[in-house]
Amino acid sequence: MDDSIKRWTAKRKTALVIEIIQGKTTVSEASRSFDLTPSEIEGWVEDAKRGMENSLRANPLDIREQYEKQLRDL
């Protein structure tokens, strides 16, 4: 990945999260490389996992239902 990234688009975030999930890099390595906080990257990973889980459901929740479920969980 390019070290001079100035804007983190969804596509770039996805590429980084995939690298982390595949074990090509770690959260701490990515944090140091791209000057991001580990909690920010971990949040992206958690969001990706929730999105994958929802997309693989027999009856996926729509965006509004996802947000309502998140609010109830909090």
Side-chain angles (χ1 to χ4, degrees):
M1 293 189 62
D2 184 14
D3 286 337
S4 63
I5 294 174
K6 295 189 180 16
R7 185 165 184 261
W8 282 93
T9 62
K11 190 177 241 180
R12 288 185 177 138
K13 289 178 187 178
T14 301
L16 179 59
V17 168
I18 288 172
E19 285 185 10
I20 291 169
I21 290 172
Q22 290 176 339
K24 293 180 180 178
T25 189
T26 65
V27 172
S28 59
E29 288 172 351
S31 174
R32 284 190 299 272
S33 296
F34 300 110
D35 195 29
L36 298 166
T37 63
S39 61
E40 184 174 18
I41 297 171
E42 288 168 352
W44 296 347
V45 173
E46 288 303 314
D47 289 343
K49 287 180 182 178
R50 278 194 302 270
M52 285 188 293
E53 179 183 339
N54 184 53
S55 68
L56 294 173
R57 290 176 185 240
N59 297 316
L61 302 173
D62 68 2
I63 298 294
R64 184 176 52 85
E65 290 171 331
Q66 287 179 35
Y67 288 132
E68 288 174 358
K69 182 181 182 310
Q70 267 184 315
L71 288 174
R72 283 192 306 269
D73 291 345
L74 293 175

